[in-house]
Amino acid sequence: MWSRYADQFPVRENLVYLNHAAVAPLPRVCADALKHLADDALHYGSLHYREWLDVYDGLRVAAARLIHATPQEIALVKNTSEGIATVAMGLDWKPGDRIVGFAEEFPANLYPWKRLEAKGVAITWLSIYDSLDRIDEAARGARLLAISFVNFLSGYRAPIDAIGEICRRNRCIFLVDAIQGMGAFPLDVRGCHIDALAADGHKWMLGPEGCAILYINQGLQDRIEPVEFGWTNVANYADYASRDMTLWGDARRYECGTLNTIGCFGLKASIEFLLEVGPGQIGPVVQGLGDRIAAGVQSKGYEVLAPRTPETGAGIVSFRKAGVNPAEVVATLRGRSVIAAPRAGWIRTSPHFYISPEEIDRLIDALP
C-alpha cells in the first residue's frame, strides 16, 4: 500500500518518519489545502468567506464519516484537551458522583477528572490492562468512564467495543480519547456505544496542529452545558444585532468563537484523503509495521513495553534496553534521519501506513 501513496509524503525524501504519535508530517493534499487558504486570504482577504463556511461543514461531514456519526454530532475545537474538558466541565456533577479512570492515561484524559474531586466526585482508578470483569464491576453505579482508544506510551489498543457494551449496560457515559488511533484504525461510535470522543488532527489523521474533532452523541448534548461561551455558540450568531442566546440544536453549540480556518482546510483534506485510502485498509498495515518493529527490536535484545496481539496492537511500539539511554538512542537515530521519540524512559516509534517495511529495517539496523 505504501508505494501507491508515497507521492503524497515528500517527507520520505528526507526522513524515515516514525513519530506520528507526536506530530505527523503533512500529506500533499493537506499542505495544498493550507496553501490555498493562505493564498486566497493573501490576495482577497475574506472575500470568499462563504467557502470557509462550506469547509467547516465539510470537515464535520468528513469527521462524521470517519467515525460513523452524524455531522450534527461533530464540533470543531482546538485540541483533544479542549474536547475532553468540554465534557468534564459541562456535566452537572454532584457530590457522590463517581468516574472510572485509568492510571496510564495521558494527562489530557486524567487531569480534568482529577479536578472534579474538589466537587466531591469520586474516581475509581483502574489499569488499562485490567480484565473486562474488573471494568464491569467498576462501571456499576459510575456516571462516566473515560479511556484512550490507544495508549500514548505502550500502544495498547483498548477493547472499546466491549467496554462500550459495559457502559451501555450500566448506563455509564462512555468517553474515548481517540487521538492515538483515529485515522489509523476503524472507529464506529455507534457500534462501540461511545457517547463522547475527542481527537486532535495532527497525529494519525495527518492534519495540522490546533484543529480537533469533538463528537458528542445527539442524545447527550442537552446534558453537557457549553461552559466556554462566545458569540458562535448560539444559533442566531450571524445576526449581530440579536441578543437571542438560544443554542445551536447540534454540536456547534460547543464551538466558541472564530474557528481555526486554515486548520479546518487542512484537516478536511487529510480526513478525506484517509477516507479515500480506507480506514479498513490502513489499520492492518499500521498493525503490521508495528509488529515488524517489535520483532526487530526484540531480536536485538530490547524489551517491548506491552505485548502485541491482533486485538491489542496498534501503531505505537515503545522499547528499551538495560544500560542504553533512550534519549541517546533517539539522537543517534536522528543523525541517521530516522525519527523517533524518547518517552518516559522508553524509545517510542509510531509508523503510519505509507512507511515501507524496508524503512522499518533501517530503524532496526541503526539501533545499538
Side-chain angles (χ1 to χ4, degrees):
M1 174 187 281
W2 69 268
S3 59
R4 195 182 321 159
Y5 299 100
D7 65 332
Q8 278 291 329
F9 297 93
V11 67
R12 298 184 69 252
E13 300 168 10
N14 304 307
L15 303 167
V16 176
Y17 201 91
L18 306 177
N19 200 22
H20 296 83
V23 179
L26 302 178
R28 286 190 188 276
V29 290
C30 177
D32 288 346
L34 298 173
K35 291 173 187 174
H36 167 76
L37 188 278
D39 286 341
D40 187 53
L42 175 68
H43 294 288
Y44 297 102
S46 64
L47 178 64
H48 301 130
Y49 186 74
R50 180 67 251 177
E51 182 188 1
W52 303 7
L53 298 179
D54 291 343
V55 166
Y56 304 153
D57 290 341
L59 175 53
R60 295 187 192 98
V61 169
R65 285 182 58 201
L66 191 62
I67 61 173
H68 299 274
T70 68
Q72 292 73 32
E73 296 171 312
I74 302 294
L76 308 179
V77 294
K78 296 190 297 292
N79 45 55
T80 310
S81 295
E82 183 181 27
I84 294 174
T86 296
V87 178
M89 294 188 299
L91 285 165
D92 181 22
W93 298 101
K94 297 179 175 58
D97 284 343
R98 188 167 60 82
I99 292 168
V100 179
F102 294 82
E104 298 89 353
E105 287 291 333
F106 189 76
N109 199 23
L110 190 146
Y111 292 165
W113 315 118
K114 285 189 67 66
R115 290 189 79 238
L116 293 174
E117 291 177 313
K119 294 186 175 184
V121 176
I123 305 176
T124 299
W125 292 108
L126 302 180
S127 168
I128 57 174
Y129 308 110
D130 280 341
S131 69
L132 290 173
D133 286 343
R134 177 72 185 94
I135 294 172
D136 194 354
E137 179 186 0
R140 293 170 198 162
R143 190 171 179 194
L144 180 145
L145 181 149
I147 194 170
S148 288
F149 183 19
V150 174
N151 182 262
F152 79 102
L153 183 60
S154 69
Y156 174 77
R157 180 156 47 103
I160 57 170
D161 52 349
I163 296 174
E165 174 56 29
I166 287 170
C167 290
R168 185 200 63 79
R169 191 169 60 248
N170 288 285
R171 298 184 179 181
C172 174
I173 296 169
F174 184 28
L175 179 141
V176 173
D177 175 347
I179 192 171
Q180 294 293 3
M182 188 170 165
F185 291 90
L187 190 56
D188 184 343
V189 294
R190 296 280 187 263
C192 294
H193 304 291
I194 296 171
D195 298 298
L197 172 151
D200 207 328
H202 68 270
K203 299 184 188 290
W204 301 94
M205 282 188 278
L206 303 171
E209 288 193 297
C211 193
I213 300 303
L214 170 63
Y215 156 80
I216 297 181
N217 182 281
Q218 189 90 48
L220 188 61
Q221 290 173 15
D222 286 339
R223 296 165 57 191
I224 298 177
E225 189 73 14
V227 177
E228 189 179 37
F229 207 97
W231 68 293
T232 60
N233 298 81
V234 302
N236 206 26
Y237 80 98
D239 181 355
Y240 305 138
S242 173
R243 295 300 180 261
D244 180 1
M245 293 178 63
T246 302
L247 293 170
W248 284 103
D250 56 31
R252 285 175 292 181
R253 64 178 60 193
Y254 304 109
E255 296 174 0
C256 176
T258 302
L259 297 173
N260 175 4
T261 300
I262 195 166
C264 290
F265 269 75
L267 185 55
K268 173 180 177 287
S270 288
I271 293 178
E272 288 175 345
F273 169 63
L274 291 170
L275 288 166
E276 176 188 331
V277 178
Q281 305 299 317
I282 294 171
V285 174
V286 172
Q287 173 95 11
L289 293 171
D291 290 345
R292 192 179 187 95
I293 292 175
V297 301
Q298 287 174 317
S299 73
K300 298 193 75 167
Y302 286 81
E303 167 197 5
V304 174
L305 175 53
R308 294 178 61 84
T309 70
E311 294 75 29
T312 65
I316 295 172
V317 183
S318 294
F319 52 92
R320 68 184 179 187
K321 182 191 286 187
V324 176
N325 185 312
E328 291 178 0
V329 172
V330 170
T332 298
L333 293 172
R334 180 182 291 264
R336 300 188 183 185
S337 299
V338 178
I339 306 302
R343 289 290 187 273
W346 297 82
I347 302 154
R348 188 182 72 179
T349 54
S350 45
H352 217 316
F353 76 97
Y354 66 90
I355 301 295
S356 70
E358 291 73 22
E359 288 171 308
I360 300 300
D361 295 341
R362 279 181 57 186
L363 161 73
I364 306 305
D365 292 343
L367 289 172

